[in-house]
Amino acid sequence: MKKLFSAFALLTIIAIAGCSPDKADGILRLPVPDRAPGQQDMLRYAADPIPVVRVGFIGLGMRGIGGVQRFMNIEGVEIRALCDLEDYNIERARQWMEAHGWPAADVYTGSEDAWQELCRRDDLDLVYICTDWLAHTPMAVYAMQQGKHVAVEVPAAVSIEECWKLVDTSEKTRRHCMMLENCCYDFFELATLNMAQQGLFGEIVHVEGAYIHDLRSLNYNDRLSANSSYMPGEGEGEIPGLSGYWDRWRLQYQSRHEGNPYPTHGLGPVCQILDMHRGDKMNYLVSVSSAPKGMEEYASARFGSDSQEAREGYRMGDMNTTLIKTERGRTIMIQHDVVSPRPYSRIHLVSGTKGFAQKYPAQQIALEPDAHYPLSKPAMDSLLKAYEFPFVTEIRDLAQRVGGHGGMDFIMDYRLVYCLQNGLPLDQDVYDAAEWSALVELTELSATNNGRPVEVPDFTRGAWNNVDGFSFAYAD
């Protein structure tokens, strides 16, 4: 882990040094590599149908074990392989499968490269990755190189270099790479997406998203242990991975970096509403952070002012705020704060010329001709039901029964399997994974340069306007 952290720190320094500001506008720009000969873009790419999706899981911590449980409730799935560094996590998954009458899966554990053995199997269609952040891209790239489709937890990458690796590998191998951004499948977010697509809000001019979640105790494993059966509920624990890395890896990252390391929960749903790389694109961002106070104060109170934890030193500001300007002139505001005593919030705000919607801190929808006042709760609930996507209506009861953040995790997995089985484009492509994850490094570049504008790379290499709007694919 320390080697990986050091490598990323070096990449960040190189990236900052390699930025080239345009004298006319002062925007910091990173180079966009040419597409290699033989590569094609993956926009609306559809692989051959896979009637029975054979899956292997890498990482069986909080997110991974939940994935296993959800996949066991989807028809046309075989769980062939399980991989984790911790024997306890492997055993927990095996016992769960056995208790529910599933055939035993092959096990990979005991070594750092066990995951590579899993990826090399010739009887897997999908590799589902739920490890720590720094392992996401290396594992996803290797799995695609072995001919597997990939689903990887958020963020899919932590540097621009890693984003390009995901894009180039997916284009070269013609394998799907979907980031598991479950918040895109929340019932409210999906309904507002449908409302926006039906023109209910008029022309969308501004959106907001966030990840505001008090994780101070979790940073120090106060609530968890390596042998914990804790599973996060709605608004409790959006922590990808944790398989084997019980060395406060999230806290270590906050100690070494600035900006927004976890941007995708708020960003993903609003990017779909704005048709990112399907008719619009992010042009540039500016990002600023408050002073880092929360973790130092918490550590002093929890461990003592003379403790190593209190003397650790934290670079990441408590609140990071990022503003993004798009090609079509819309604006996006994204925030990140995981160290303040505040209620959980993803904000999810949509503002257009005819109406407004917001999920946090209170669900509200306001529409012309009297948008000065929000709709009553009965009127809002009726509207949300009316704009529910058909596939949500179809599986709502099952999703809520299986669970996973109120059911959105199950809808995410259900849609992934459905698209693979029917040979359809996935709801999220590799460019979504790259664009949304790119904020990890781009916000750090801006925040460490006094909020200087930073260009958002076009990972489609000019093809961002070739698809007319975001849409879900359905079988005939």
Side-chain angles (χ1 to χ4, degrees), residues 19-265:
C19 283
S20 57
D22 188 297
K23 292 182 179 180
D25 57 20
I27 296 177
L28 297 174
R29 290 179 169 84
L30 295 170
V32 174
D34 293 333
R35 180 174 280 125
Q39 287 181 209
Q40 302 176 42
D41 71 60
M42 295 290 286
L43 293 166
R44 300 297 292 172
Y45 172 74
D48 292 336
I50 308 172
V52 177
V53 178
R54 303 166 299 176
V55 59
F57 285 85
I58 304 176
L60 298 169
M62 289 195 305
R63 295 298 294 162
I65 189 65
V68 171
Q69 293 164 351
R70 295 190 301 273
F71 266 65
M72 290 167 56
N73 287 275
I74 302 175
E75 294 183 4
V77 166
E78 293 179 359
I79 300 175
R80 293 287 186 93
L82 303 170
C83 178
D84 197 282
L85 290 174
E86 299 288 344
D87 291 337
Y88 169 80
N89 288 335
I90 291 282
E91 188 58 29
R92 181 173 56 162
R94 291 182 63 181
Q95 289 178 3
W96 186 272
M97 292 177 63
E98 181 179 356
H100 290 79
W102 276 64
D106 293 334
V107 168
Y108 295 83
T109 189
S111 66
E112 291 284 347
D113 60 354
W115 62 271
Q116 293 178 321
E117 297 181 48
L118 180 149
C119 292
R120 289 194 293 266
R121 291 175 63 121
D122 59 7
D123 65 343
L124 294 181
D125 306 299
L126 173 69
V127 174
Y128 199 99
I129 300 168
C130 300
T131 58
D132 72 291
W133 299 340
L134 299 183
H136 287 175
T137 295
M139 290 180 174
V141 166
Y142 188 81
M144 285 188 282
Q145 290 172 339
Q146 306 310 308
K148 312 303 188 293
H149 298 297
V150 168
V152 57
E153 270 292 355
V154 300
V158 294
S159 71
I160 300 301
E161 181 184 46
E162 286 192 341
C163 290
W164 282 117
K165 285 182 178 179
L166 292 176
V167 168
D168 286 336
T169 305
S170 180
E171 290 182 350
K172 184 180 300 183
T173 62
R174 313 306 287 168
R175 297 293 88 185
H176 288 298
C177 179
M178 172 176 164
M179 184 168 63
L180 296 168
E181 185 37 76
N182 56 344
C183 296
C184 290
Y185 298 89
D186 177 86
F187 295 106
F188 188 87
E189 273 91 328
L190 282 172
T192 55
L193 169 62
N194 198 13
M195 292 174 189
Q197 291 180 337
Q198 300 302 319
L200 195 66
F201 303 127
E203 181 75 15
I204 306 299
V205 296
H206 177 75
V207 294
E208 297 180 10
Y211 187 66
I212 297 172
H213 189 182
D214 185 359
L215 297 179
R216 291 172 298 173
S217 63
L218 190 105
N219 276 335
Y220 290 112
N221 302 340
D222 289 355
R223 284 192 291 163
L224 301 175
S225 68
N227 293 339
S228 172
S229 60
Y230 172 83
M231 287 296 294
E234 175 68 31
E236 288 185 7
E238 203 81 37
I239 316 301
L242 294 181
S243 57
Y245 294 108
W246 291 96
D247 55 1
R248 300 174 176 175
W249 56 267
R250 177 189 285 269
L251 189 62
Q252 289 184 34
Y253 194 95
Q254 293 176 1
S255 300
R256 292 163 170 79
H257 294 281
E258 296 187 40
N260 183 341
Y262 204 65
T264 72
H265 283 333

Side-chain angles (χ1 to χ4, degrees), residues 298-419:
Y298 179 87
S300 294
R302 173 74 174 82
F303 301 101
S305 58
D306 294 330
S307 65
Q308 178 181 346
E309 286 84 355
R311 292 182 284 104
E312 178 77 19
Y314 304 97
R315 291 189 60 197
M316 188 166 291
D318 292 4
M319 171 63 79
N320 174 267
T321 300
T322 300
L323 290 173
I324 305 169
K325 188 71 174 288
T326 79
E327 177 71 17
R328 288 176 55 186
R330 282 94 67 89
T331 52
I332 306 170
M333 190 272 282
I334 299 295
Q335 290 186 317
H336 177 270
D337 184 347
V338 295
V339 298
S340 298
R342 297 177 53 172
Y344 179 90
S345 175
R346 297 195 302 271
I347 299 180
H348 188 68
L349 182 150
V350 183
S351 182
T353 58
K354 295 182 180 179
F356 164 93
Q358 176 178 278
K359 180 166 185 179
Y360 298 96
Q363 288 190 11
Q364 291 184 326
I365 296 177
L367 302 171
E368 291 281 35
D370 194 18
H372 189 73
Y373 299 98
L375 298 177
S376 66
K377 188 176 188 310
M380 181 178 65
D381 290 345
S382 177
L383 191 67
L384 289 170
K385 185 171 181 59
Y387 280 89
E388 193 172 73
F389 279 106
F391 71 83
V392 177
T393 303
E394 177 185 344
I395 63 170
R396 170 184 280 275
D397 291 343
L398 177 59
Q400 292 178 330
R401 185 166 65 252
V402 174
H405 292 91
M408 65 185 185
D409 291 6
F410 178 79
I411 298 175
M412 173 185 69
D413 291 336
Y414 170 88
R415 281 291 303 174
L416 167 61
V417 172
Y418 173 86
C419 291

